[in-house]
Amino acid sequence: MRVRNLGIGVLLAVAVVAGSGCNPDKNKLLFKPQAGVTRLVDTEEAMNMSMSMMGMSMNFGTAKEYTFEFAPKETDAAGVTTFDATIKSVKFELTGLEGLMGGMGGPGVPQVPGMPGGDDPFGVKSLKTAIKSAEGQSFAVKVNKMGEVTEVSGADAIAEKASAQYKAPALGAQVAPKQVLKFHLGDNTMKYSMMGIFTARPDKKLNIGDTWQNKVNGGDNMAEVVGDATFTVKERANGTVTAESVSKVEIKPGQELNQQMGKMPGFKMEMSGQGSGTAKFDEATGWLVDFVDIAKVPGKMSFPAGPMGDISMDIEAS
């Protein structure tokens, strides 16, 4: 399975057609993992950001690739399955911003003799090493019969262990290593990722052409992503159910950014846009087998600049 999330990580529910005969669950897409059968899942998530102000522009982005192995441990009477989720591989990249900061010693700002931090002043190399150290580690995921992720636990412990591999940067914001790695690998972050892999669907009968609405919140400490999507079941063929989505996407300041904004009265960030996606499910088991979701979210950021007055900046995430 390969799940590609090539934009804002907006997580959306999908309605499909399943079942036959007089089964009360006919035309529901129930999540029914096979006991004892492990499953490998590949995910890709990328976010690109552009900023322009006074004729100048800057582009940067982040990308993460994971391979997870899901091993079902038990399914209770209510249909909630507990998985051991193992991080088989992880790759983390920065684009644009990394070059600007000279984080990998490649093209970008040259190193200045005596600059704190040596060849990694912004801690990019160190962060990649710490995230990579999570490979082989496992956490628990609980998923109900409608594909809803009800609980993630044990990922905070992975983040804490990985933080020992991270050296805080000599330059830039000073954030505790445990907090940095919890943002990348902790329970809340992994739950958001798991919601995209399992993808909740409504507990009702659905036919081709049926639509439904799904609202979700996600993101991180810097930015909260709010999605409001309408899904339409498009096709059921060869054991695969396909649904398409159209969504409204809004990006709001996250907890960490709100704290920083509190120190800068007058700071504002407004971003809203649209997204679309296609999801494909295995009809027999309810597993998501492919999901591509792309969104473009433009907006503005403004902040006070003393005697210069307020400065406004155009921004766009995709």
Side-chain angles (χ1 to χ4, degrees):
M1 171 197 168
R2 191 164 190 82
V3 176
R4 290 172 292 160
N5 189 351
L6 304 178
I8 308 303
V10 181
L11 306 172
L12 306 161
V14 179
V16 295
V17 178
S20 62
C22 297
N23 188 332
D25 291 328
K26 178 182 177 181
N27 290 355
K28 291 184 180 181
L29 186 66
L30 299 178
F31 181 59
K32 300 175 290 185
Q34 296 172 284
V37 177
T38 61
R39 192 178 187 92
L40 288 177
V41 176
D42 298 322
T43 71
E44 300 175 12
E45 181 177 337
M47 180 173 181
N48 299 304
M49 180 78 75
S50 63
M51 299 183 177
S52 60
M53 178 181 67
M54 300 173 64
M56 298 181 293
S57 63
M58 180 174 66
N59 300 286
F60 58 91
T62 62
K64 286 184 181 179
E65 297 181 14
Y66 280 99
T67 296
F68 295 100
E69 180 183 76
F70 293 97
K73 294 177 61 179
E74 62 179 0
T75 300
D76 65 19
V80 177
T81 301
T82 300
F83 290 91
D84 276 335
T86 301
I87 302 172
K88 302 297 288 185
S89 67
V90 56
K91 182 179 180 181
F92 173 67
E93 295 291 343
L94 291 173
T95 59
L97 182 62
E98 183 178 46
L100 178 67
M101 293 182 171
M104 292 297 289
V109 179
Q111 297 297 319
V112 177
M115 175 184 285
D119 66 346
D120 194 25
F122 295 96
V124 177
K125 286 183 177 180
S126 180
L127 179 59
K128 287 185 176 183
T129 298
I131 292 175
K132 190 74 173 176
S133 73
E135 292 184 346
Q137 303 297 308
S138 300
F139 56 96
V141 182
K142 291 186 177 183
V143 186
N144 69 18
K145 64 181 182 180
M146 301 315 300
E148 179 185 2
V149 178
T150 60
E151 183 181 338
V152 169
S153 60
D156 279 352
I158 295 175
E160 183 171 356
K161 183 177 180 180
S163 69
Q165 304 293 321
Y166 177 63
K167 182 180 179 181
L171 300 177
Q174 297 298 310
V175 183
K178 289 183 181 180
Q179 183 177 346
V180 172
L181 271 299
K182 188 175 180 180
F183 158 67
H184 285 284
L185 298 169
D187 287 346
N188 288 340
T189 299
M190 283 301 172
K191 184 174 182 180
Y192 185 60
S193 296
M194 296 300 105
M195 289 168 65
I197 289 172
F198 292 96
T199 307
R201 67 289 318 238
D203 187 6
K204 65 179 182 180
K205 297 180 179 181
L206 298 161
N207 296 303
I208 292 175
D210 284 349
T211 63
W212 70 96
Q213 191 176 37
N214 189 36
K215 296 182 179 181
V216 295
N217 288 6
D220 52 53
N221 287 338
M222 295 302 293
E224 177 188 2
V225 181
V226 180
D228 184 352
T230 299
F231 272 82
T232 304
V233 180
K234 288 294 185 179
E235 183 181 33
R236 181 178 63 189
N238 302 318
T240 300
V241 179
T242 302
E244 295 180 355
S245 68
V246 177
S247 59
K248 296 179 181 179
V249 185
E250 184 178 4
I251 300 180
K252 301 179 179 181
Q255 180 179 359
E256 180 67 24
L257 189 55
N258 273 325
Q259 291 178 356
Q260 297 301 322
M261 288 170 59
K263 302 174 184 178
M264 186 187 299
F267 183 97
K268 295 180 181 179
M269 184 179 78
E270 297 178 348
M271 300 182 69
S272 62
Q274 294 184 332
S276 61
T278 301
K280 296 183 178 182
F281 292 85
D282 175 61
E283 189 172 10
T285 64
W287 276 99
L288 184 68
V289 295
D290 191 58
F291 185 21
V292 180
D293 181 61
I294 301 174
K296 181 175 287 187
V297 188
K300 286 186 177 293
M301 180 185 298
S302 62
F303 52 91
M308 296 176 60
D310 289 346
I311 292 179
S312 179
M313 180 185 300
D314 293 323
I315 53 180
E316 182 174 282
S318 62

